[in-house]
Amino acid sequence: MTLDLASKVRDVPDFPKEGILFKDVMPLIADPEYFAESIRQLAEWSRPREPDLVLGAEARGFIFGGALAYELGAGFVPARKPGKLPWETIEATYDLEYGTDSLQIHRDAIGAGARVIVLDDVLATGGTARAKCELVEQLGGNVVGVVFLIELTFLNGRERLDGYDVHSLIKY
Ligand code: AMP
């Protein structure tokens, strides 16, 4: 029997602000069977793309990304908010509803030609995933897939990721 992953995603209305229906994956990662199944499915799609690395951003991207990288026998690259990484960094900036935000990775995190899976828990507008792809490409890496646990299809995030190979496990 396949597990219904969506049954372990909790809807939290008006978080972090009014009008946002937040998809809370904490119940899913707290359940050993559902967490393992989500990683298994992410790996099943990612493995044929033969990644060397998985890139994920804090904080939920570390949880799924670390487990996925381990499952694939790949390395993991953390993308972080400015000022968090200890060594020399490169940066990509993306739009928020009000203003902009940035993500950084270490300058030597990705070698030229490295095959990289970009991961996040939720695809909403696609802005942050796009910024992660830009980080990979700034260092000469090759984005071989962009994978999400959850896709909010009504926000058309895939349009921002035009040209990339995009996959999600749960669609709303
Ligand atoms: P995006 O709009 O695709 O750039 O998404 C911004 C970030 O916020 C992503 O890392 C998502 O994981 C997170 N996010 C956006 N919308 C939601 C939501 N409704 N529930 C949970 N996380 C979200």
Side-chain angles (χ1 to χ4, degrees), residues 26-96:
M26 298 306 148
L28 185 143
I29 59 178
D31 184 302
E33 277 188 80
Y34 282 77
F35 185 41
E37 176 62 15
S38 69
I39 298 303
R40 196 194 62 72
Q41 290 187 23
L42 293 168
E44 185 175 64
W45 186 84
S46 303
R47 194 174 288 109
R49 288 158 178 83
E50 300 184 347
D52 304 302
L53 296 167
V54 174
L55 181 144
E58 58 187 289
R60 285 162 287 155
F62 289 180
I63 300 166
F64 290 100
L68 177 61
Y70 182 82
E71 180 76 11
L72 291 169
F76 181 72
V77 176
R80 302 210 63 180
K81 296 286 170 62
K84 296 282 189 186
L85 286 167
W87 193 61
E88 295 168 31
T89 56
I90 61 156
E91 184 167 303
T93 297
Y94 54 95
D95 291 329
L96 295 176

Side-chain angles (χ1 to χ4, degrees), residues 14 16 28 43 61 63 67 75 78 88 92 123 129-130 138 152 167:
D14 300 321
L28 185 143
I63 300 166
E88 295 168 31
L123 171 59
R130 170 108 221 165
Q138 278 186 49
L152 305 177
H167 181 66

